[in-house]
Amino acid sequence: MKLFIVEDDPGIVENLTRFLTGEGFEVASARTASGALEGMSGDVDLVLLDVGLPDGSGFALCPELKRRFGVPVIFLTASGDESSVVTGLELGADDYVAKPFRPRELVSRVRSVLRRTGRASSVIELPGLRVDTERAQVTKNGQEVYLSALEYKLLLVFLNNRGRVLTRGKLLEEIWDAAGDFVNDNTLTVYIKRLRDKIEDDPADPAIILTVRGLGYKVGL
Ligand code: CA
């Protein structure tokens, strides 16, 4: 998967390039809007686009990139700038991440947009478990499993962060939008238990959603 970063802050470009390369992405970048139009090619799978560029606005560049390359775009917006977010989404951006962001959060958004836009396979497979994110279908050992919207969202958060420890705070933050109503620490425990009951071979000895004592949870396998 090839990513293109358009950002004039060299520190952000350097850190992101190192991190994304380590995650298996191919990364190219430009620090201006004109540099982006010159450097982009049709094989780019996703663009990370800064809003404030030296020679113009990322907002103006987004429709142009979409028109020329039909590529998904994630805006890197200034923190707390709600109007940026709204404008970005109106201009056809696929998602946005507010600065400063944690690289792992960005990667999770990138993976999710790549799947949603059909650039990456919509199927995630772990031993015994198969999740088709396009059809929102989960199968366990070949049998379809029925999850509530929140259980499903929670499962996707785990799968998008494979190999990493997720604190309870992080999980609450991630499922907040999907919940519709208040999810507190106790209900999170209940949701994780229900999810394990549905997807684990032995919920008492989980192999997929592991507890990391004192820290949170982590996807095994
Ligand atoms: Ca900038």
Side-chain angles (χ1 to χ4, degrees):
M1 293 276 118
K2 189 167 178 181
L3 309 183
F4 199 97
I5 306 170
V6 190
E7 164 69 66
D8 60 323
D9 181 330
I12 294 181
V13 173
E14 194 184 314
N15 287 337
L16 267 186
T17 302
R18 189 169 350 104
F19 192 85
L20 292 167
T21 306
E23 292 285 315
F25 292 101
E26 205 182 313
V27 183
S29 59
R31 55 179 300 274
T32 59
S34 56
L37 289 171
E38 274 164 32
M40 275 281 296
S41 50
D43 63 346
V44 170
D45 293 292
L46 184 142
V47 177
L48 296 168
L49 181 55
D50 181 26
V51 174
L53 296 167
D55 59 341
S57 147
F59 293 144
L61 186 59
C62 179
E64 186 64 16
L65 291 174
K66 292 253 163 200
R67 192 180 61 78
R68 286 204 205 175
F69 304 102
V71 69
V73 172
I74 297 179
F75 270 117
L76 308 176
T77 65
S79 164
D81 188 352
E82 286 292 320
S83 63
S84 274
V85 169
V86 173
T87 310
L89 296 176
E90 277 172 358
L91 288 170
D94 297 271
D95 204 351
Y96 67 90
V97 177
K99 294 177 191 176
F101 49 80
R102 279 171 294 189
R104 73 175 55 168
E105 187 198 342
L106 182 72
V107 168
S108 156
R109 300 291 191 89
V110 165
R111 293 220 162 97
S112 150
V113 168
L114 287 172
R115 275 204 301 274
R116 185 149 40 86
T117 55
R119 302 248 163 184
S121 168
S122 64
V123 175
I124 304 170
E125 281 189 280
L126 296 179
L129 185 73
R130 185 178 189 279
V131 180
D132 183 334
T133 59
E134 197 172 318
R135 300 159 71 196
Q137 190 184 53
V138 180
T139 46
K140 174 69 186 167
N141 298 328
Q143 298 276 77
E144 186 160 2
V145 172
Y146 298 94
L147 302 181
S148 72
L150 210 139
E151 289 161 0
Y152 181 66
K153 169 78 180 171
L154 191 57
L155 177 60
L156 287 189
V157 173
F158 278 118
L159 295 178
N160 281 333
N161 291 281
R162 263 166 285 174
R164 299 186 181 115
V165 174
L166 289 163
T167 63
R168 299 176 62 84
K170 178 67 185 162
L171 287 168
L172 286 169
E173 200 178 290
E174 287 282 342
I175 61 174
W176 187 269
D177 285 351
D181 45 27
F182 188 68
V183 180
N184 64 27
D185 207 50
N186 292 330
T187 42
L188 179 65
T189 306
V190 173
Y191 282 116
I192 289 174
K193 181 184 181 318
R194 282 191 201 151
L195 186 56
R196 278 175 166 161
D197 285 344
K198 291 181 182 181
I199 66 168
E200 299 283 358
D201 283 333
D202 178 4
D205 182 18
I208 300 173
I209 301 174
L210 310 179
T211 299
V212 183
R213 206 157 287 283
L215 291 175
Y217 303 89
K218 179 179 163 174
V219 171
L221 300 174

